[in-house]
Amino acid sequence: MEDFEFIIPLNKEDLTKLGSGSKNQYYVAEVLSVRETISALKDCFEAFRTVEERFILTKFDVLYSVMVQFPQFEERIREQAWELLSKGMATTVKSIASKLEINGDNNTPSVLNTLKMTTYLFCTMYEAFETEATQPNISTAVKKKGKPKKSDSGFDIDIQRDKVMNIMYQLIQLPINRLWSPPIVDSEFVNMFAATCYKTLENPTVSHARCKSTRESIFQILGTLVKRYNHNLGCTVRIMQLLQNFEFLVSSLASGVAIMVNNFGCSMIISDVIREINRIDPKDLNRDSSSTRNYANFLSELAEKAPSAFLKVTSLLSVYLDSDNYSLRQAVLSVFGEIIVQVLTGEELDTLGKSQRDQLLGQLMNHVHDVNAHVRSRALQVWEKLSTQGAIPLNMQHKALDLAIGRLQDKSSIVRKNAISLVTTLLQANPFAAKLTSKELEAKYELEKEKLEQMAPGLTPRCSQRTKKKMYKYRITEEEIWNAMLPELTKAVTESQNDSSLLENELVAQWTEECTTWENEENAIQAIRLALTEAKVKKAVYFAERMISLFPENSEEMEASDISEPENAVQVNILEKMKGIFVPLEEDNYSEKSDNEKEEGEEEDDDNENSEQIEGKDLPPEILKQKSLVKYLKDCLSFTESLLGALATLIHLLGSKQASDVLETIEFFVLAFEFGLTEAIAGIRRMLVLVFSREQTVKDAVVGAYKRLYINLKSSNSRVSAVQIVKNLTTLVNGASIGELTSLEELVSEFVKTGDLNKECIQVLWERFTMKIQDTTEIESKASLMLLRMVACAEKLTISSNISVLISVGLGDRGKEDFRLAYETCSALLKLVPDRIKSDSLTPPLRFEEDHLMFRNLKEILVSGITKMEDTYYIPMSGQAVAVIYQLADVPDIICNDLLKEICTIINKNYGDENGQLSLSSKILSRLLALFGHVAVRQMNHLDVNIFCELKRRERIKEEALFNKNKRQSKNKRASRKSLAADTTLKKDDEEDEDEIMGAVADDAEAEFIRAVCENEVVLGDSILGKGMALLVQVCLNPGKYSDIDLRTSATLSLAKCMLVSSKFCDLHLQLLFTILERTTEPTIRGNIIIALGDMSFRFPNLIEPWTPRIYARLRDNSNYVRKTTLTVLTHLILNDMVKVKGQISDMAMCIIDTDSKISGLSKLFFTELAQKGNSLYNVMPDIISRMSDPDAGVPEDDFQTVLSFIIGLIQKERQSDSLVEKLLYRLSVARMERQWRDLAYCISLLSCTDRSLRKVQENFQFLVDKLQEEKVFEYFTQMLQNAKKLAKPEVKFLVEELEKKNGRSSRKGYR
C-alpha cells in the first residue's frame, strides 16, 4: 500500500492511461463492467467494515468503475456506491484529524493516498449527481416548480449537498498541509475542492431562498481555500466564468463574495475581478450585453454588502466611467454611492476621507448629465439614496438640488421621474428647517443680518483694539442662539436615548477611553465643549451622558432653562447641561462646518467674506454666534428659493402624458405643502383637474393626496376633526375657478363614497351654512353651501331631506340680500333633478306645486332684485332661478309668464312716463333682457325634453294598463283547437307590430307638436316673452343708442338664445347676429356669438351652413379669447360630425403656429383626433396644401413648413401616403410659380415613399425636370430618395438609385 503515489488527474480518463508512466504512480488497471461492478460493491462494503477508510487503497477501481459508467447504473446501485463513499469520506476526515493530533508531521504516505483517493471519488461522484440533477429530461420538464422529489430509496440531493459541504468544510479546517512534504497542499487537490463548489453553484436550485445555508457553506469553503491555500487567482477566474454564463448567480455570487471579504479578508478578489473586466475588449463588452449586465449587477450588489473593500479600488472603477457600455457606468455610480453612504459618512471622517468623498460626489455630479438616460437616472437615484441616508454634506445640498431641478425637463421620462423624486427627497431630508416659509425666513434673515452689521460694521482682516472693544459691546441673547441649535441637539439626544446604534459605534471604545482620563467635572465640561466646537454632536451627547453618570452630585447645580419638552426627564437633564456648557463657546458646530466645507469661489455676502478672513480666535464669541445664525438663515433661504424656482416646471409636469411624472410631482407638492411652502398651493390646485384622469393610478394619487392634506387629521375628538376638515375644504373652495370647482365636486363625491367625509362633517357643513356656529362669516357660509352641493352629487338625500332649510336660509331674508347665496342655493336645489331623464321610466319626476314656498321666494327675489344695482350677481342668479322653476315646478311656464308680467309692470310703473316711454337705466334693462333669454331657452328645453318625456311616460302607463287588462282577460279564455291557437298567435304578432308602428307615429306627432309650439308661440307668439322680442331686437340694432357694454353683451346673448328656440326667428335675425359679430369691438360679445352659433349649427344646420366661412374667419381674430373659442367650437362640431369639413380647415391648420401656446396645442389636438377618424384628414389634405401654398394667402414659407410637417406626420396609412404623393406630383407638374414648386416638393419629401410612390415619381419624372432647377426642390427630392433608400427593399433599391442618377443629371443639365 505504500509502494504507489496517487496523483489527482485532470480528467478521469487519465487514470487508465498512466501505466506507461512512473511505476510508483497509481493507475486503474481495468474498468469493471456493470455486472462485475455490482458484484464487487459487496466486497467494498465488507472491506470498509474491516479496515474502515483504508479500504479505498484496494477497492478504488470498483468505485472508479461506478463513477466512470455512472449513467449506466441503476439508481439503487449509484446510491449504494455514494453511501459507501460518504461514510468513507467522513471516516477519513475523523481519522486524519486524530492522526494529525497524535503523530504531527510523521504520517505515512498511505494516509495521504487514502485522503486523495477518497476525496477524488467523493467529489467526482457528487459532481455526477449534480450534473444529473441539472440536466432537463422528459420527466423533469413536466414537473412543477418547487423542491425536487426524493428517490424511491429516500435519496435527497439537497440533504446530500449539505452533508458534502459540511464534510469538505471540516476537512479544510484541519492542518492537512502537514500531510505533504514540503507542507504545501497540491494545487490539484485545492482545485478539486473548489471545482465541486463551483459545480454546485451552477445548479439553479442552489440559488433558491431555501438553499441559503448551502450557499453560505460553499463560500465559507472558498474563503478558506483563498485564505489558506492560495486559491485567489483560480477563484477570480471561475467567478468571471460564472457571471458570464449564469445570470441567476449574480445575487448569489455577490452575497458569497461579501462573506469571503468580510469573514475571511479576501478583499483582493474584488480588485482582481475588476482588473479582469478591464482586460476584456470593449467591443466584446458591447457585443455581449448579457454578460456585461451581469458584471454590472454583481458589482452593484457586492458594494451594498462590502463597501469598504471598494474604497481602495475606486481608481480602477473610475475607468469604467469612460466606457461606452452604460451598464458599467451605472454600476460604478451605484458603488460610489454605497461607499459614500456606508464608509465616507460620519462625524469622525478625517481630511483624507472628506477628500475621497468629495471626489466621488464630483463623479456623481458629472454623470447626472451623462449622454445615456439610464446612467442619468441611476446617478439621480444614487443622489436620492445619499439624501435619504443623510450622506450629502451641508455645502452640497444646494448643488444637489440644482442638479435635480436641472433634470426636471429631461427628454427621458425615467430621468424626469427620478429628478422629481430627488427634489422631493431633498426637501424631506433637508437639514435646515421643518417649515420653509419663504417670507418668514426672508424677514428673519434680514433682521439677523442687520444685527450682525450693527455688531461688526467694519470687520476687516486686521482689526484694531478699538474695533475689537466695540465688537465686544454688542451681545446677542443666549436664547436666540440656543433656539437656532436646539432642533439638531434634541434630535441627537433623542436618538441616543431611543436607538442603541450609538452604543454599538466602533468609536465608543475611543470615547470611553477618553472618559477615563477625567479627574473632575471640569475635565468633562472641557471635553464636551471641544466636541461641540469640532461639530461632533454624537460625541458631545455621549460625553454629556457619561458626565451625568460619573458626577451625579453636581447635576442640580445647572440652571434650569426653557427648553422645549423632550420625551422624558433624562433628555431634559442632558439638554440643560449641554446648554450650560455651550453658552460660553467661541464657535458653534454649524459655523465651523459651514465655513470649512464651503468651496472656493462661492459667492457670499460682504459680512461673510469679511468674517472668513479673520481667525476664530480674534473674534468675540457673540459675533461668531451671530455670524453662524445669519449663515444658517441664508442657506435655509437659498434652499427655499431654489425650490420656489422649480415650482413652475413642476406645475407644468402635472400635465405630462407620462403617469410616472404626474405621480412623482403629486407627491412633491403634497410634501412641499406640508413643509410650509405656501407657493405650492398653485400646484395643489392644479392637481384638482387630474381627478378626471383616465389613468386610475393618477386619479387614486390625487384623491390620496387631498385626503392626506385635508381629510386625514390626527384628533381623538371627532367633532373637532369634522370642524377642521370643513375648514380645510373651505379654503379650497374660496378663490377656486369654475374648472377647479368642477374638479373639486368630483373629489368631494369620492370622499363621500369612501366614507372619508362622514355624516358628522356634513352636519358641520349645515351648521356653518345656517351660521349656527359662532364667528362663521358669509363667505364661509356660502362655501359650506357649495360643499353641500358637491356632497349631493354622491348623496342626493343630503339635499332632499333639507329642502326646507335651503329655502328658509338660502332663499329667505339672506338670499334676498345676497344674490350669490341665492345662486348657490338654486344650484344645490338642482341636484334634486336626475342628471338624465329616462324616457322609458314609469316613475313621475319630482315636481312641486305652483304655490310652493320655493317658487314664491324665488319670484320675490327676482322681482325685487331687478332694481338692486349694488349686487352685480343678479344675472347669473336669475339664470339658476329660472332653471329651478323649470326643473322642479309643475307649471313653470305659467310661473315665469307671471314673473315677467310682474317685472314689466313694476318697470312701467316706476320708469314709464305719461307717453308710454321708458327711461330706465341700462343695468335694469340688461337684467330684463337677460331674463328673457333665460326663460326662452329654458322653455325650449322644457318642451323638448321634459314635456316630451312626460307625454311618453303617460302613454307608456296607458299601454301598460291596457296590456295588463288584456292579459287578465286572456287568462279566462281557453283555446278549443290548436289551429285556432295558431291563428290567434299570428294575429297577436300582427297586433304587436301595429302597436309599435302606432307608437312611433304617436312619438312623431308629439315631437311635431312640440316643434310647432317652439316655432310659432314661444318667441313669436302673443305671450309676454314674444312681445319682449321687439325690445330685444331694438337694443341689438342700435349699438350707438345703447352703448353700455354690459347691456349690449346681455342683449346679444339673449338674442342668440332666443334664436335657438325658433328657426323662423333665427332666420329673421341671423344677418343681424353676424353683423354684430363682425362690427363689435368687444371680444366677450364675439366669443358669446361664436358659442351660440355652434349650438345653432347643431339645431338648425341648414340655416347656418351658408354662414360657415364667417365662423372660420374668426380664427384670424385679433383676440386670443375669440380665436380660442372659435377653434374649440369648430373642433367640437367637426369631430362630432355636425358640420362638413371644407377647405376653410386650412385656417384651423394655421392655428398650429399661433402665438398663444394654448391655441396651438388645441389645434394640434384637433388634427390628431381628426387623423383617427378614418379618411377625414386624408380627404382634406389636398385642400389644406392648395390653400396654404396659394401666393394670395400670404403664408410665409417657414410657417407653411411648420404646419405641414406636423399634419403630414399624422398620415400613417401607406395607401393614403401613396395617393397623396400621386396627387402632389400632378400638382407639381402643372404648377407655374417657384414658391408652389418648393411647397409641393417639401410636402412630397415628408411623405413616406413606398414602392408604388417611387414608381409614380419615375413615371412623372419627365414633367418634373424643369422644377429640379430650383435648388430647394432638388434638395427636397434628394432628401426623399435618401430616406427611401434607407428603408427600401433590395429589389427597390435599383429603382431608387436610378432616380438618384436622373435627379442629379437634371439638376446639372436641365430639361432638353
Side-chain angles (χ1 to χ4, degrees):
M1 291 186 295
E2 299 180 0
D3 295 339
F4 67 87
E5 178 185 6
F6 184 82
I7 299 177
I8 298 173
L10 295 177
N11 299 305
K12 56 186 177 182
E13 293 82 5
D14 293 345
L15 281 174
T16 62
K17 302 176 183 178
L18 297 176
S20 60
S22 175
K23 62 180 181 180
N24 291 331
Q25 185 174 343
Y26 182 85
Y27 68 94
V28 177
E30 180 185 4
V31 177
L32 303 178
S33 65
V34 174
R35 181 177 298 177
E36 291 173 342
T37 304
I38 295 174
S39 176
L41 269 178
K42 298 179 182 178
D43 298 336
C44 293
F45 277 97
E46 185 64 29
F48 176 73
R49 286 192 291 269
T50 303
V51 296
E52 295 184 340
E53 75 277 1
R54 290 175 297 167
F55 86 99
I56 199 67
L57 299 173
T58 58
K59 301 299 181 181
F60 179 87
D61 292 4
V62 178
L63 293 172
Y64 177 82
S65 299
V66 176
M67 185 264 294
V68 172
Q69 305 172 86
F70 189 81
Q72 302 177 24
F73 287 94
E74 296 179 358
E75 190 175 355
R76 176 180 58 83
I77 303 301
R78 289 183 290 182
E79 292 174 3
Q80 288 178 0
W82 173 252
E83 181 184 1
L84 178 61
L85 269 176
S86 299
K87 293 180 179 179
M89 188 66 188
T91 306
T92 300
V93 173
K94 292 180 181 178
S95 175
I96 290 176
S98 61
K99 289 178 180 179
L100 289 173
E101 184 177 355
I102 295 172
N103 300 330
D105 296 336
N106 300 320
N107 289 288
T108 61
S110 63
V111 176
L112 182 58
N113 285 333
T114 301
L115 174 63
K116 286 183 178 182
M117 298 171 78
T118 306
T119 305
Y120 173 74
L121 289 174
F122 179 75
C123 292
T124 310
M125 189 170 291
Y126 166 73
E127 290 178 15
F129 276 109
E130 281 288 359
T131 301
E132 185 182 52
T134 55
Q135 288 179 349
N137 51 48
I138 297 176
S139 60
T140 59
V142 297
K143 289 181 180 179
K144 296 180 179 179
K145 293 182 179 180
K147 190 174 180 179
K149 294 183 179 180
K150 298 180 181 179
S151 64
D152 296 336
S153 59
F155 181 85
D156 189 344
I157 186 63
D158 288 345
I159 297 176
Q160 297 302 320
R161 189 183 293 121
D162 291 337
K163 289 181 179 180
V164 169
M165 297 305 151
N166 188 31
I167 292 173
M168 291 173 62
Y169 184 72
Q170 291 177 13
L171 178 60
I172 61 176
Q173 296 304 310
L174 300 174
I176 58 175
N177 61 308
R178 290 154 59 181
L179 298 175
W180 276 265
S181 181
I184 299 175
V185 180
D186 290 345
S187 60
E188 292 82 2
F189 188 85
V190 174
N191 292 337
M192 180 177 61
F193 264 59
T196 303
C197 294
Y198 300 133
K199 185 66 178 180
T200 304
L201 288 173
E202 292 177 8
N203 190 339
T205 307
V206 179
S207 297
H208 295 173
R210 56 186 172 84
C211 297
K212 181 180 179 181
S213 60
T214 304
R215 295 196 301 274
E216 291 178 350
S217 300
I218 290 173
F219 286 102
Q220 287 174 351
I221 294 171
L222 292 175
T224 304
L225 294 178
V226 172
K227 184 176 182 180
R228 295 186 179 181
Y229 302 107
N230 197 26
H231 182 59
N232 188 42
L233 179 59
C235 183
T236 302
V237 174
R238 288 309 304 270
I239 287 175
M240 291 292 294
Q241 293 174 351
L242 291 173
L243 287 173
Q244 185 176 5
N245 298 314
F246 303 99
E247 184 177 357
F248 62 85
L249 276 180
V250 172
S251 297
S252 300
L253 287 173
S255 301
V257 173
I259 292 174
M260 296 170 64
V261 171
N262 296 330
N263 298 346
F264 297 92
C266 305
S267 57
M268 287 299 295
I269 289 181
I270 295 178
S271 58
D272 290 342
V273 169
I274 295 173
R275 288 189 179 94
E276 287 296 323
I277 299 176
N278 278 337
R279 292 191 181 100
I280 302 176
D281 191 331
K283 295 181 180 179
D284 295 334
L285 287 174
N286 293 330
R287 187 182 305 112
D288 190 1
S289 59
S290 176
S291 299
T292 308
R293 186 168 56 251
N294 293 346
Y295 299 147
N297 293 338
F298 170 75
L299 293 175
S300 300
E301 295 189 28
L302 180 56
E304 295 179 7
K305 301 174 176 61
S308 58
F310 281 88
L311 186 58
K312 298 179 181 179
V313 295
T314 53
S315 59
L316 295 175
L317 289 171
S318 298
V319 177
Y320 297 148
L321 293 176
D322 298 326
S323 171
D324 292 336
N325 192 284
Y326 74 88
S327 299
L328 289 176
R329 300 205 301 275
Q330 283 183 295
V332 173
L333 296 179
S334 298
V335 172
F336 286 176
E338 294 298 332
I339 293 174
I340 295 171
V341 169
Q342 301 189 44
V343 182
L344 298 178
T345 298
E347 297 177 358
E348 301 300 326
L349 201 62
D350 56 13
T351 304
L352 177 61
K354 291 181 179 180
S355 175
Q356 290 176 316
R357 178 198 63 192
D358 293 343
Q359 290 178 4
L360 299 183
L361 287 172
Q363 294 284 12
L364 291 175
M365 283 186 174
N366 294 336
H367 286 274
V368 170
H369 306 289
D370 196 281
V371 295
N372 187 277
H374 295 286
V375 180
R376 297 197 300 273
S377 178
R378 178 62 60 85
L380 292 169
Q381 290 172 1
V382 174
W383 276 107
E384 183 176 356
K385 185 172 185 178
L386 294 178
S387 179
T388 304
Q389 300 297 327
I392 301 179
L394 191 63
N395 67 318
M396 294 287 232
Q397 290 286 337
H398 296 98
K399 295 182 180 180
L401 181 59
D402 292 339
L403 283 173
I405 293 173
R407 291 291 95 196
L408 291 177
Q409 295 179 329
D410 197 283
K411 63 181 180 180
S412 172
S413 61
I414 59 172
V415 178
R416 293 195 303 270
K417 174 182 179 297
N418 286 287
I420 302 168
S421 181
L422 176 56
V423 173
T424 305
T425 304
L426 287 169
L427 172 60
Q428 189 172 20
N430 83 86
F432 302 109
K435 292 294 181 182
L436 298 173
T437 308
S438 58
K439 293 183 179 180
E440 295 180 4
L441 287 173
E442 187 174 2
K444 182 69 174 175
Y445 170 68
E446 293 297 334
L447 178 63
E448 299 301 332
K449 183 180 176 181
E450 184 179 353
K451 286 185 179 180
L452 183 61
E453 288 289 345
Q454 293 175 357
M455 295 174 66
L459 201 60
T460 56
R462 295 181 180 180
C463 299
S464 63
Q465 292 297 325
R466 181 179 178 183
T467 305
K468 290 183 179 180
K469 291 180 180 179
K470 186 176 181 180
M471 289 189 291
Y472 275 99
K473 265 179 64 178
Y474 300 95
R475 295 183 58 85
I476 186 171
T477 60
E478 297 173 354
E479 287 74 10
E480 290 178 333
I481 298 296
W482 180 255
N483 291 334
M485 295 182 58
L486 185 58
E488 185 180 0
L489 292 171
T490 304
K491 180 180 179 181
V493 173
T494 305
E495 290 178 352
S496 174
Q497 293 294 312
N498 299 336
D499 189 3
S500 61
S501 62
L502 180 61
L503 301 178
E504 299 171 358
N505 196 306
E506 297 177 357
L507 299 172
V508 169
Q510 298 179 13
W511 297 347
T512 306
E513 186 177 353
E514 290 182 33
C515 294
T516 58
T517 62
W518 296 347
E519 296 180 0
N520 50 44
E521 188 177 13
E522 184 62 25
N523 297 138
I525 292 174
Q526 292 178 0
I528 294 172
R529 181 181 294 119
L530 180 61
L532 287 172
T533 303
E534 296 175 351
K536 299 176 181 178
V537 178
K538 291 184 178 180
K539 184 176 181 180
V541 171
Y542 181 80
F543 282 173
E545 293 173 346
R546 294 287 295 169
M547 184 181 71
I548 293 174
S549 61
L550 292 174
F551 308 104
E553 66 277 2
N554 297 326
S555 61
E556 295 181 357
E557 295 179 2
M558 287 292 180
E559 183 180 355
S561 61
D562 53 346
I563 301 172
S564 58
E565 296 183 1
E567 294 181 0
N568 51 57
V570 177
Q571 296 178 18
V572 173
N573 192 19
I574 294 173
L575 288 173
E576 287 177 345
K577 284 192 175 287
M578 296 282 284
K579 179 179 179 181
I581 294 169
F582 170 75
V583 168
L585 277 179
E586 294 186 358
E587 294 183 59
D588 65 343
N589 55 349
Y590 183 86
S591 175
E592 185 174 1
K593 184 174 181 180
S594 299
D595 293 341
N596 290 341
E597 290 182 351
K598 179 168 288 294
E599 290 188 352
E600 293 183 353
E602 182 177 351
E603 294 183 1
E604 294 187 14
D605 292 336
D606 293 338
D607 54 273
N608 286 338
E609 292 176 354
N610 293 334
S611 61
E612 276 190 349
Q613 297 172 1
I614 300 180
E615 297 179 2
K617 62 183 180 181
D618 294 333
L619 293 176
E622 292 78 10
I623 293 181
L624 288 173
K625 292 174 185 178
Q626 182 66 17
K627 173 197 163 197
S628 65
L629 179 59
V630 171
K631 180 67 172 64
Y632 163 79
L633 291 172
K634 177 188 175 184
D635 289 345
C636 189
L637 183 60
S638 177
F639 186 86
T640 305
E641 289 174 348
S642 296
L643 286 173
L644 295 179
L647 289 183
T649 304
L650 288 163
I651 291 174
H652 178 72
L653 285 172
L654 285 172
S656 172
K657 295 180 181 179
Q658 294 292 333
S660 58
D661 292 348
V662 179
L663 293 174
E664 291 293 339
T665 309
I666 289 173
E667 179 63 26
F668 167 80
F669 276 111
V670 171
L671 191 66
F673 193 74
E674 291 175 341
F675 266 82
L677 279 174
T678 54
E679 293 80 359
I681 190 64
I684 297 295
R685 288 190 177 276
R686 176 66 178 81
M687 283 162 46
L688 274 171
V689 71
L690 296 176
V691 77
F692 295 108
S693 174
R694 296 179 182 178
E695 291 283 347
Q696 187 62 37
T697 54
V698 174
K699 181 177 181 179
D700 294 342
V702 173
V703 175
Y706 281 95
K707 190 182 298 184
R708 173 176 161 184
L709 292 176
Y710 295 97
I711 302 297
N712 294 341
L713 304 176
K714 296 180 181 179
S715 177
S716 57
N717 191 319
S718 59
R719 172 68 180 184
V720 174
S721 178
V723 172
Q724 187 59 46
I725 289 172
V726 171
K727 289 182 178 179
N728 291 343
L729 293 176
T730 300
T731 60
L732 272 179
V733 171
N734 293 332
S737 64
I738 296 176
E740 291 170 349
L741 288 175
T742 304
S743 302
L744 186 59
E745 185 175 286
E746 178 69 15
L747 188 65
V748 171
S749 299
E750 290 290 332
F751 289 154
V752 175
K753 292 175 184 177
T754 56
D756 295 299
L757 203 61
N758 53 31
K759 293 183 179 179
E760 194 158 5
C761 294
I762 297 174
Q763 179 61 33
V764 172
L765 286 173
W766 282 111
E767 293 176 7
R768 284 169 68 90
F769 164 59
T770 56
M771 303 184 76
K772 291 183 178 179
I773 297 179
Q774 291 183 354
D775 301 327
T776 301
T777 65
E778 288 287 346
I779 295 176
E780 292 172 343
S781 175
K782 283 180 278 192
S784 298
L785 178 57
M786 295 169 70
L787 288 169
L788 286 170
R789 171 175 58 80
M790 297 173 186
V791 170
C793 294
E795 186 59 60
K796 293 187 182 299
L797 188 62
T798 304
I799 299 297
S800 61
S801 60
N802 294 278
I803 294 177
S804 59
V805 177
L806 286 170
I807 296 173
S808 60
V809 177
L811 301 180
D813 294 336
R814 286 178 56 197
K816 295 175 184 177
E817 300 298 327
D818 188 347
F819 293 158
R820 180 62 188 269
L821 179 62
Y823 172 88
E824 296 298 342
T825 304
C826 292
S827 299
L829 289 171
L830 287 174
K831 292 297 177 181
L832 297 171
V833 181
D835 296 332
R836 187 173 183 179
I837 300 176
K838 297 180 180 179
S839 59
D840 57 347
S841 176
L842 300 179
T843 305
L846 177 64
R847 294 279 176 173
F848 298 92
E849 296 180 356
E850 179 184 357
D851 60 345
H852 194 276
L853 181 61
M854 179 195 310
F855 308 123
R856 296 204 306 269
N857 287 1
L858 281 175
K859 190 175 179 181
E860 184 178 354
I861 292 173
L862 290 172
V863 172
S864 61
I866 199 167
T867 57
K868 292 182 179 179
M869 296 296 101
E870 63 275 7
D871 195 332
T872 59
Y873 218 78
Y874 179 88
I875 292 179
M877 179 274 299
S878 62
Q880 288 295 87
V882 171
V884 169
I885 293 172
Y886 272 96
Q887 292 291 349
L888 296 177
D890 273 340
V891 284
D893 47 351
I894 296 176
I895 296 176
C896 287
N897 192 57
D898 294 342
L899 170 67
L900 292 176
K901 285 183 178 179
E902 188 170 347
I903 291 176
C904 290
T905 302
I906 292 175
I907 291 175
N908 286 326
K909 180 179 179 180
N910 296 334
Y911 301 97
D913 56 17
E914 298 177 354
N915 300 323
Q917 297 295 323
L918 294 176
S919 58
L920 68 165
S921 68
S922 59
K923 300 294 183 183
I924 297 178
L925 183 56
S926 64
R927 291 182 176 187
L928 176 62
L929 297 181
L931 202 55
F932 284 162
H934 296 329
V935 174
V937 77
R938 284 295 173 181
Q939 180 68 27
M940 177 196 69
N941 183 74
H942 179 65
L943 291 170
D944 280 350
V945 180
N946 300 91
I947 296 298
F948 182 73
C949 290
E950 180 62 17
L951 291 174
K952 291 188 68 175
R953 186 186 70 83
R954 294 180 181 182
E955 184 65 27
R956 188 173 178 82
I957 291 175
K958 292 179 182 178
E959 292 175 357
E960 289 287 336
L962 181 61
F963 175 77
N964 293 333
K965 180 180 178 181
N966 295 335
K967 189 175 181 180
R968 287 192 300 269
Q969 292 176 355
S970 64
K971 288 183 180 180
N972 299 328
K973 298 179 181 180
R974 294 183 179 180
S976 59
R977 293 188 302 273
K978 290 183 179 180
S979 59
L980 180 60
D983 293 342
T984 305
T985 302
L986 291 174
K987 290 180 180 179
K988 184 177 181 181
D989 292 341
D990 293 340
E991 290 175 358
E992 290 179 355
D993 293 340
E994 292 178 1
D995 289 343
E996 292 180 1
I997 295 173
M998 292 299 294
V1001 171
D1003 290 346
D1004 291 343
E1006 293 166 357
E1008 183 63 26
F1009 170 75
I1010 291 173
R1011 190 191 68 80
V1013 172
C1014 290
E1015 281 287 319
N1016 303 312
E1017 297 184 16
V1018 177
V1019 293
L1020 293 176
D1022 294 332
S1023 64
I1024 185 66
L1025 185 61
K1027 294 178 180 179
M1029 292 301 101
L1031 176 62
L1032 177 61
V1033 173
Q1034 185 67 23
V1035 173
C1036 293
L1037 281 171
N1038 295 280
K1041 181 179 179 181
Y1042 303 98
S1043 58
D1044 184 77
I1045 295 176
D1046 293 335
L1047 174 58
R1048 289 191 287 113
T1049 303
S1050 177
T1052 306
L1053 184 58
S1054 296
L1055 176 64
K1057 289 181 177 179
C1058 294
M1059 290 170 65
L1060 283 171
V1061 178
S1062 169
S1063 62
K1064 293 181 180 179
F1065 189 83
C1066 180
D1067 192 22
L1068 287 172
H1069 301 98
L1070 199 55
Q1071 176 69 54
L1072 172 61
L1073 192 65
F1074 275 100
T1075 301
I1076 298 173
L1077 175 64
E1078 294 178 355
R1079 294 183 179 180
T1080 182
T1081 59
E1082 296 301 320
T1084 304
I1085 296 178
R1086 298 200 299 274
N1088 290 342
I1089 292 175
I1090 290 295
I1091 295 173
L1093 288 172
D1095 294 334
M1096 292 180 202
S1097 297
F1098 174 71
R1099 188 164 174 82
F1100 310 123
N1102 295 332
L1103 289 177
I1104 304 301
E1105 195 273 337
W1107 301 89
T1108 304
R1110 298 202 183 186
I1111 300 178
Y1112 278 99
R1114 290 301 100 198
L1115 291 171
R1116 299 185 294 273
D1117 197 285
N1118 56 8
S1119 169
N1120 290 351
Y1121 168 72
V1122 177
R1123 293 201 307 277
K1124 181 181 176 183
T1125 303
T1126 306
L1127 181 59
T1128 304
V1129 170
L1130 288 173
T1131 297
H1132 174 72
L1133 294 175
I1134 293 173
L1135 294 181
N1136 289 281
D1137 300 322
M1138 296 179 186
V1139 298
K1140 295 180 180 179
V1141 183
K1142 295 186 177 181
Q1144 293 93 344
I1145 198 173
S1146 59
D1147 293 334
M1148 299 184 71
M1150 287 299 296
C1151 291
I1152 291 176
I1153 56 173
D1154 196 283
T1155 54
D1156 190 323
S1157 59
K1158 293 183 178 179
I1159 297 175
S1160 177
L1162 282 174
S1163 181
K1164 291 179 179 179
L1165 180 61
F1166 163 73
F1167 282 102
T1168 303
E1169 295 294 328
L1170 186 65
Q1172 299 175 5
K1173 290 177 63 65
N1175 296 329
S1176 298
L1177 180 59
Y1178 162 76
N1179 292 334
V1180 298
M1181 276 300 301
D1183 289 338
I1184 293 177
I1185 297 173
S1186 178
R1187 284 175 174 264
M1188 293 187 64
S1189 61
D1190 188 349
D1192 296 336
V1195 179
E1197 193 166 354
D1198 291 341
D1199 292 345
F1200 176 88
Q1201 294 183 1
T1202 302
V1203 172
L1204 268 300
S1205 63
F1206 175 80
I1207 298 178
I1208 292 179
L1210 301 174
I1211 302 293
Q1212 301 294 332
K1213 295 182 180 179
E1214 185 177 303
R1215 178 177 55 82
Q1216 294 179 353
S1217 180
D1218 292 341
S1219 180
L1220 279 176
V1221 169
E1222 183 177 359
K1223 293 179 180 179
L1224 293 176
L1225 284 171
Y1226 173 75
R1227 292 195 178 189
L1228 179 58
S1229 65
V1230 299
R1232 292 292 177 263
M1233 301 187 67
E1234 292 185 359
R1235 167 63 193 277
Q1236 291 179 321
W1237 297 354
R1238 294 195 298 269
D1239 290 345
L1240 294 171
Y1242 177 77
C1243 294
I1244 294 173
S1245 68
L1246 293 176
L1247 291 164
S1248 57
C1249 285
T1250 62
D1251 305 352
R1252 180 185 172 189
S1253 60
L1254 287 172
R1255 291 190 178 91
K1256 289 295 180 182
V1257 174
Q1258 186 182 37
E1259 293 172 3
N1260 294 274
F1261 198 83
Q1262 58 180 329
F1263 305 109
L1264 305 176
V1265 175
D1266 58 329
K1267 313 299 188 297
L1268 293 173
Q1269 306 310 304
E1270 169 64 35
E1271 181 181 357
K1272 286 292 184 181
V1273 176
F1274 173 74
E1275 289 181 4
Y1276 295 145
F1277 269 88
T1278 302
Q1279 179 183 350
M1280 177 197 69
L1281 294 174
Q1282 288 176 351
N1283 295 336
K1285 192 173 183 179
K1286 294 177 183 178
L1287 305 174
K1289 300 176 182 177
E1291 59 271 19
V1292 184
K1293 284 189 176 181
F1294 175 76
L1295 176 60
V1296 177
E1297 292 172 357
E1298 183 180 351
L1299 287 173
E1300 285 181 335
K1301 293 178 182 178
K1302 288 184 177 181
N1303 190 34
R1305 289 196 302 267
S1306 300
S1307 65
R1308 292 191 300 270
K1309 299 180 181 180
Y1311 177 75
R1312 293 183 178 177

